Amino acid sequence: MTAACTRLGIELPIIQAPMGGAVGPALAAAVSNAGGLGTLALWGADIQTLRRQIRETQALTSKPFAVNLNLEFAQEERLDACLQERVPIISFFWREPSALVARAKAGGAVVLHTVGTAEDAREQ
């Protein structure tokens, strides 16, 4: 087990990509149940759909999973809903995330952030 596995509460160092609309609760939960980190791509979902998919995932697994939020679009309301639903891990993508990272951490979530280049990783 790696330090990342320990921090994320997973058994295997596998993080399932959000893959836009191709991932739903069944796949995310299956990945989590198998020991990896399942991820829902809910950055474009309306709040009702976001909450429904989170709750469906929670019903299918007791293991950690993530919700991915693409910062190319406003995500404040979705982040708040994720935190209210007690999503354990928030995965940000694109743009500089610091404005939302503090909110996510204060809400009890572990934060991941995907960058496109090594230079972006050094900057963020």
Side-chain angles (χ1 to χ4, degrees), residues 94-97 113-115 119-124:
W94 222 282
R95 306 274 180 216
E96 201 283 315
H113 181 62
T114 303
V115 296
E119 183 178 333
D120 288 345
R122 284 188 289 276
E123 289 176 9
Q124 297 180 27

Side-chain angles (χ1 to χ4, degrees), residues 6-124:
T6 300
R7 180 70 177 112
L8 297 173
I10 60 178
E11 300 166 28
L12 304 169
I14 296 171
I15 299 174
Q16 173 240 310
M19 298 184 291
V23 176
L27 179 58
V31 171
S32 291
N33 286 335
L37 181 66
T39 306
L40 296 170
L42 297 175
W43 56 266
D46 62 70
I47 297 303
Q48 181 179 0
T49 299
L50 177 137
R51 288 183 187 277
R52 181 177 41 76
Q53 288 204 14
I54 290 169
R55 290 174 185 169
E56 286 177 22
T57 305
Q58 290 167 331
L60 294 169
T61 187
S62 60
K63 307 245 178 139
F65 65 92
V67 168
N68 178 258
L69 300 175
N70 182 335
L71 299 179
E72 184 69 18
F73 308 95
Q75 298 297 340
E76 290 80 3
E77 188 178 5
R78 288 181 193 89
L79 175 59
D80 289 343
C82 287
L83 297 174
Q84 290 164 3
E85 297 294 334
R86 304 212 179 278
V87 172
I89 301 166
I90 302 295
S91 166
F92 294 117
F93 177 72
W94 222 282
R95 306 274 180 216
E96 201 283 315
S98 63
L100 296 180
V101 168
R103 285 174 60 184
K105 287 183 175 184
V110 172
V111 175
L112 300 176
H113 181 62
T114 303
V115 296
T117 67
E119 183 178 333
D120 288 345
R122 284 188 289 276
E123 289 176 9
Q124 297 180 27

